[in-house]
Amino acid sequence: MTGDVILTFAADAPVGVAPWWVMLIPALPMLGVILCTLMAIAGVRSKLPAWVTVGCLGASFVVAVAMLLNHGEGAAVAKAWDWFHISWGDAQGQQFNAIFGFYIDRLTILWMLFVTGLATLIGLYASEYMSHDVGPGYCRFFVAFNLFVFSMACLVMGANMLMLYLGWEGVGLCSYLLIGYYYKKPSAVAAGKKAFIVNRIGDLGLALGVYLTFVHFGTIEYAELFASDKLAGYLEHASHGDFSHIPLAAQVIPMLLMVGAFGKSAQLPLYVWLPDAMEGPTPVSALIHAATMVTAGVFLIARTYPVFQVSEYALPTVAWIGGLTAFFSATIGMAQFDIKRIMAYSTVSQLGYMFAGLGVLTSVGAAAHVFTHAFFKALLFLCCGAVMHGFAGQLDLRKLSGLWRMKGWGIVSITMLVGCLNLAGFPVITSGFWSKDMIMAEAFVRPGMGPVGWLLLITAGLTAYYTFRVFFRVFVGPQEYHPGDELHDDGHGAEHFHPHAPGWAINSVLVILAVLSFVAIPLVALNHGGWVGEMIHGSTAHYEAHAEAGHHGSVWLAGFNPHAVMYYISAVVGIAGILVAYALHLRGRTSAGEAPAAEAFKNALGPVQRWAEHKWYVDELYDFLFRKPLWVLSQIFRYVDMLLVDGLVNTAGWIPSALGGRLRRGQNGVLQSYAASMAGGLALFVVVVLILASRSG
Amino acid sequence: MLELVLCQAGYPEPMASVTLAHYLVLSAAMFVLGLVGFITRRNLIIMFLCTELMFQAAGLALIAFSRYHLNLDGQTFVIFVLTVAAAEAAMALALVVLLFRRRESLSSEEWAELKG
C-alpha cells in the first residue's frame, strides 16, 4: 500500500477510514488457529504448528509496524461488516448498532506492537519449551495461543465496546484453556476454573458498564462516543471541578467498567486468580499472565479515559486500589519460595503501579510502565521457565543455587539479571526505573494522592528486595541443585539427574527481550514519556490538565519538588532493597537452603512472616466469606430438591407401582382362577342388583 | 333366591305346566354345569365344550323369552349366535390342536406365561 490513503487526521477532526490491511492483524492469528486445528486433525507430530504460529504472528507484527509507520493524528476506523443492527420502538426510532470493525489510534498501535511482537517471540520460545509434548498437545497449545492473539487484537483494536467485550471474553477463554493445559493435573484444572470464575465477577461489571454506556450515551462505538456532545459537556463540567451537573448514571459507568478491569488485571479484591494461574505452561504465564492479557484492564481504562474523568470518584478509586494492590501483593511476594509465584505476585504488584498511574492522571506513565513491564516481566518469566524446564520442574529457591557458574546457563543468568534490575528499578540504566518513576512522582504531585505515593515508594523497596532475593538465591552463590519431580527422561532417577541447559530458541528469545528492555529506555525516558508519551498524547488516553495545571510544582516531598527529586529517592530505595537482599540471601550463605541471615530475619519477624507466606490467608477468607456460604446454600437446595421435589415425584410414582405389586398376585396364570373370579364377580353383581331391586320394589 | 327369580318371571306356582320358568331353570342349570365344568377341568377340549354349554344355555334363555314376548328378535339373535359359534368352534379346535402340538399335552396348566 502506498502512504497516501493513510491515517492522517487532526485530533478533533472526524474519524477517518483506516486502510483494509489493518484487519490482517487479527486475521493472521485466526489463520494460525485454523491451520493448527487442521494439523491437530491431521495428527501432525512435529514442530510445524510452532513455526506456523511464529510465521502468522510475525506477519501480524509486521503489519502492526506498517500501521505505526503510516499513522497520523487522530483516529481511523476500518469496518469489516455490520455486526448488529437492531431497531425498535415508535417508527423504529430506537436503534442499536455495532460494527465488526477496528478503531485505530496511537494507543491501539502501541498496544498491538508489543502484543504481536511479544507473542511472536514467546511463540518461538514455546516451540522449544513445549517440545516434550509434540503431538496433539503441541497443536492444542498453539491453537489456543493463536486464538489468544486474535482475541487480544479484537480487544485492543475493536471499534466499539462490544468488540472489546468479544476480545475480553476470548482472552478469558484462552487463559482458561492454557492454564488448564496440563489437564491431568488437578491443581492446574482447579486454577483454570478459579481464573475463569473470578473473571466472571469482573466481566459482570464490564457488561453492565457497556450496557449503561449504551443506555446513557446511545452508542457504544468509540468514534461516536468520544465525539458526542453529551460527553464533551460532562468533561467541560468536570474540568471546572463541578460534578453536580453530571448525571449519576454517567458517573456510575466508570465504576462498572473498573470492576471489569480489576478482574482481568488482577487487582484487589479480585487478584487471587493470577498467582494460581502459574499452573499453566511458562510461555503462557509470560505472554498472557504477565505481558499482555493482564494489561487489558489498563487498556480498558486508557481507552475510555474520558469516560473515567466525568466521575468524581472513579480515578481516585483506581489510584487507591492500584496503590494498595501494589503494596499488598509485594508483601506476599516477599515471603514465597516458588520463584514463578514470586514473579506472579510481582506482576500483580506492577499492575497496581499501572492502575495507580492511571488514577493519578499520568496515563503516559501507566502506558510506559505497561510497555517496559511487558518486556522485562516476560523476560523474567521466560528465565524462570528455562530454569523449570532444565531442572525438571524445580521452582523452589531453596533447592537451587549458583546457576551462574553451571555450563550452558550463562545466558539465562545474565538475562535474568537484566530482568531483575529492571523490575527492581535499578537507576538510570533500566527502563523499569524510568516508567516507575513517572508514576510515583505524579502520585506525590496529585492533590490527595500522597499516601498512594508513599505506598508505591515503599513497594518499590520491597520489589527490589524480593526480586534480588530470587537472583541471589538461585543464580549466584554456591553451586547446588535438586531436580524437581517432573523427571520424564529415561528412568535414571534423581541421583543421575543432569540439568539440560536451554537451546538456541530459548536463549535467542531471552537475549532479544533483554536487548528490548534496554531499547525501551529512550522510548519511555526521553523528554517526559518519550515516544510512548507521544503515542498516548495522540490518543483518547491523553489527559488534558485543565484546571489542575496550577497544582504542578506546588506539592512538595520532604521539602523538594517531587518531579525533580523522585529519581534520586527511588534510586536510593531500589538500591537499598537490593543491598538488603544481598545481606540476607547471599552473604554468608553456605548452601542452597541455608541462609543464616535470612533465617534470623525470619525469626525476628515472628508470625508476620508466616502470615505473608500463607498469602495473608486471603484465599481462606474468601473461602469462608463466599465459598462456604454458597456451599451451605447449595446443600440446602440439594436437600430441598432431594427430599421435597424428588419426594413428591417419587411418591406419585410409588403409588401405582405399589398398587400394581399387590394386584399382580391375582395374575397367577391359572385359567380356572380367572374364570372363577369372573363367575364370582358376576354372581356378586347379580346379588347386588337383586338386593337393590328388592329394596326399591 | 330361586323363588325370587321365579316370582319375577310371573309364575308363583311351580310345576303347573311347562312355563317360561321351566326354560329358565333349565337354562340356568345348563349354564352352571358349564361354568362348574370350565372351572374344575383342566383339559382344553373339555373346557371348550363347557363354554359351548354355557353358550347354548344363554341361547335357550333367549328363545324362551322370544317365545314369551311373541317377537322374533331373540330367535334371530340365536341363529346368528349359532353361526358365529360354529365358526368359532372350528377356530378354537384348530387352536387347541396347535397348542397341543407345542406342549404335547392338553392341560391348560401348561399355558401360564402371562402370570404376573
Side-chain angles (χ1 to χ4, degrees):
Chain A
M1 296 299 290
T2 51
D4 52 317
V5 282
I6 311 306
L7 335 169
T8 44
F9 326 97
D12 50 354
V15 175
V17 178
W20 63 272
W21 47 261
V22 299
M23 294 180 209
L24 287 174
I25 295 179
L28 285 163
M30 205 22 145
L31 179 70
V33 172
I34 295 165
L35 290 177
C36 288
T37 308
L38 291 177
M39 279 185 250
I41 293 167
V44 170
R45 297 198 157 270
S46 68
K47 287 192 176 182
L48 190 61
W51 305 132
V52 167
T53 302
V54 171
C56 287
L57 299 182
S60 190
F61 174 67
V62 170
V63 178
V65 171
M67 197 161 75
L68 170 73
L69 296 178
N70 287 301
H71 82 87
E73 298 291 321
V77 171
K79 179 171 143 184
W81 61 80
D82 277 317
W83 195 14
F84 286 97
H85 177 80
I86 303 163
S87 52
W88 69 94
D90 295 332
Q92 306 293 297
Q94 307 271 16
Q95 284 199 342
F96 174 81
N97 294 314
I99 64 164
F100 196 97
F102 304 98
Y103 181 88
I104 314 295
D105 70 351
R106 291 183 178 184
L107 184 69
T108 312
I109 296 169
L110 174 67
W111 236 267
M112 282 327 291
L113 275 175
F114 74 78
V115 168
T116 53
L118 278 174
T120 311
L121 287 174
I122 294 172
L124 180 62
Y125 176 97
S127 71
E128 180 179 333
Y129 188 88
M130 303 304 294
S131 55
H132 59 86
D133 243 11
V134 167
Y138 205 69
C139 295
R140 183 160 57 89
F141 178 86
F142 283 102
V143 168
F145 199 86
N146 278 306
L147 188 62
F148 167 75
V149 181
F150 168 77
S151 305
M152 197 70 200
C154 284
L155 194 164
V156 173
M157 297 173 65
N160 51 49
M161 289 183 170
L162 207 60
M163 287 285 294
L164 178 126
Y165 195 78
L166 171 76
W168 197 271
E169 295 302 324
V171 293
L173 170 71
C174 295
S175 161
Y176 166 77
L177 292 175
L178 288 168
I179 294 169
Y181 175 78
Y182 298 115
Y183 60 88
K184 286 177 182 159
K185 204 168 142 196
S187 61
V189 175
K193 278 196 288 191
K194 187 173 179 181
F196 202 72
I197 292 166
V198 174
N199 266 302
R200 291 272 74 63
I201 301 168
D203 293 353
L204 176 68
L206 176 65
L208 290 176
V210 172
Y211 176 69
L212 195 57
T213 306
F214 172 70
V215 170
H216 192 74
F217 290 104
T219 179
I220 55 167
E221 301 287 336
Y222 294 135
E224 293 170 20
L225 177 64
F226 297 137
S228 79
D229 294 337
K230 219 173 186 178
L231 186 60
Y234 296 161
L235 283 172
E236 181 63 27
H237 283 302
S239 67
H240 298 121
D242 172 18
F243 291 96
S244 58
H245 287 92
I246 300 173
L248 184 64
Q251 301 207 36
V252 168
I253 292 170
M255 293 295 184
L256 291 170
L257 295 178
M258 197 190 295
V259 176
F262 291 161
K264 191 60 84 194
S265 291
Q267 296 296 290
L268 285 175
L270 300 176
Y271 74 96
V272 288
W273 65 271
L274 185 57
D276 286 15
M278 298 305 133
E279 294 287 346
T282 305
V284 170
S285 307
L287 178 67
I288 301 185
H289 303 119
T292 56
M293 184 189 83
V294 289
T295 66
V298 181
F299 175 81
L300 171 66
I301 297 181
R303 168 56 77 220
T304 56
Y305 217 41
V307 178
F308 273 76
Q309 287 164 27
V310 304
S311 169
E312 190 175 1
Y313 302 108
L315 287 174
T317 310
V318 171
W320 271 102
I321 292 282
L324 288 171
T325 308
F327 177 71
F328 186 76
S329 54
T331 58
I332 300 176
M334 284 166 66
Q336 302 299 307
F337 293 104
D338 179 323
I339 55 175
K340 214 172 145 189
R341 267 187 196 243
I342 294 172
M343 291 309 151
Y345 279 106
S346 115
T347 304
V348 177
S349 178
Q350 299 302 308
L351 287 165
Y353 274 94
M354 297 163 200
F355 276 87
L358 289 168
V360 299
L361 296 171
T362 169
S363 49
V364 174
H369 203 52
V370 168
F371 188 69
T372 58
H373 177 260
F375 295 120
F376 68 72
K377 186 51 69 62
L379 174 61
L380 285 167
F381 266 111
L382 295 183
C383 287
C384 291
V387 172
M388 191 182 174
H389 193 59
F391 290 91
Q394 184 58 270
L395 282 170
D396 193 327
L397 55 75
R398 292 167 298 189
K399 301 274 174 66
L400 294 169
S401 176
L403 260 58
W404 172 264
R405 272 171 290 173
M406 291 184 201
K407 194 167 173 290
W409 290 89
I411 291 177
V412 177
S413 301
I414 293 169
T415 52
M416 181 76 182
L417 178 63
V418 171
C420 286
L421 287 171
N422 270 290
L423 179 56
F426 192 82
V428 186
I429 59 160
T430 64
S431 56
F433 169 76
W434 294 99
S435 55
K436 206 186 277 184
D437 264 7
M438 258 186 271
I439 295 170
M440 286 195 284
E442 204 64 22
F444 281 110
V445 167
R446 200 59 56 190
M449 286 295 145
V452 175
W454 284 108
L455 273 177
L456 296 180
L457 190 58
I458 296 167
T459 307
L462 302 182
T463 309
Y465 165 74
Y466 69 67
T467 312
F468 272 86
R469 174 169 170 256
V470 172
F471 187 78
F472 288 144
R473 296 289 293 234
V474 176
F475 290 90
V476 288
Q479 258 191 69
E480 188 181 338
Y481 62 81
H482 306 275
D485 48 13
E486 290 171 19
L487 293 165
H488 47 69
D489 48 12
D490 37 8
H492 283 319
E495 58 274 15
H496 298 293
F497 174 80
H498 292 290
H500 63 278
W504 69 269
I506 287 182
N507 278 333
S508 58
V509 169
L510 294 180
V511 169
I512 293 171
L513 282 174
V515 170
L516 282 175
S517 73
F518 286 115
V519 170
I521 297 174
L523 296 183
V524 298
L526 296 175
N527 196 12
H528 193 71
W531 172 77
V532 172
E534 252 175 63
M535 296 300 278
I536 293 300
H537 284 309
S539 78
T540 57
H542 173 50
Y543 175 67
E544 299 282 353
H546 296 304
E548 298 192 61
H551 291 294
H552 272 267
S554 64
V555 180
W556 298 88
L557 176 66
F560 296 98
N561 181 344
H563 278 300
V565 297
M566 186 44 76
Y567 300 125
Y568 305 106
I569 296 174
S570 71
V572 169
V573 168
I575 291 175
I578 295 173
L579 289 178
V580 170
Y582 169 77
L584 291 181
H585 293 288
L586 184 59
R587 210 175 51 148
R589 187 158 64 84
T590 50
S591 71
E594 286 172 40
E599 285 301 315
F601 179 60
K602 209 159 111 178
N603 294 336
L605 280 176
V608 178
Q609 192 274 339
R610 200 173 63 242
W611 295 339
E613 190 184 335
H614 287 96
K615 308 168 240 169
W616 302 112
Y617 298 98
V618 171
D619 280 333
E620 284 77 3
L621 179 72
Y622 284 0
D623 196 59
F624 177 73
L625 284 181
F626 302 110
R627 271 189 62 190
K628 277 278 144 49
L630 281 174
W631 185 82
V632 169
L633 195 67
S634 73
Q635 288 299 307
I636 292 172
F637 283 144
R638 176 170 164 233
Y639 282 105
V640 166
D641 186 51
M642 253 170 61
L643 299 179
L644 195 69
V645 179
D646 284 5
L648 284 174
V649 173
N650 286 344
T651 308
W654 177 81
I655 291 171
S657 133
L659 208 61
R662 295 293 152 114
L663 292 176
R664 206 173 68 171
R665 309 227 175 113
Q667 304 288 321
N668 54 10
V670 182
L671 205 52
Q672 278 73 25
S673 83
Y674 298 158
S677 63
M678 269 167 72
L682 184 67
L684 200 68
F685 179 73
V686 168
V687 168
V688 169
V689 166
L690 290 179
I691 288 172
L692 289 179
S694 68
R695 286 238 179 115
S696 61
Chain B
M1 184 65 70
L2 182 63
E3 218 165 335
L4 193 67
V5 174
L6 297 176
C7 285
Q8 284 188 330
Y11 277 80
E13 291 179 65
M15 304 301 288
S17 60
V18 180
T19 60
L20 176 63
H22 293 101
Y23 291 104
L24 290 183
V25 169
L26 177 62
S27 161
M30 275 169 71
F31 187 85
V32 170
L33 278 174
L35 183 63
V36 170
F38 187 84
I39 289 175
T40 53
R41 303 302 294 268
R42 296 283 181 274
N43 187 311
L44 285 172
I45 295 176
I46 302 293
M47 286 167 78
F48 174 66
L49 287 178
C50 290
T51 62
E52 285 299 311
L53 199 57
M54 288 189 274
F55 240 140
Q56 303 316 322
L60 185 61
L62 277 168
I63 294 168
F65 278 118
S66 170
R67 177 76 185 119
Y68 177 71
H69 291 296
L70 294 176
N71 73 26
L72 293 175
D73 290 357
Q75 294 189 36
T76 319
F77 200 66
V78 169
I79 297 294
F80 275 101
V81 168
L82 284 176
T83 321
V84 172
E88 174 248 316
M91 208 174 73
L93 284 170
L95 271 175
V96 169
V97 170
L98 288 175
L99 291 174
F100 177 78
R101 282 186 187 163
R102 286 244 173 150
R103 294 281 153 96
E104 293 291 324
S105 161
L106 280 173
S107 171
S108 69
E109 283 173 348
E110 293 290 321
W111 302 93
E113 277 160 20
L114 280 178
K115 72 176 178 193

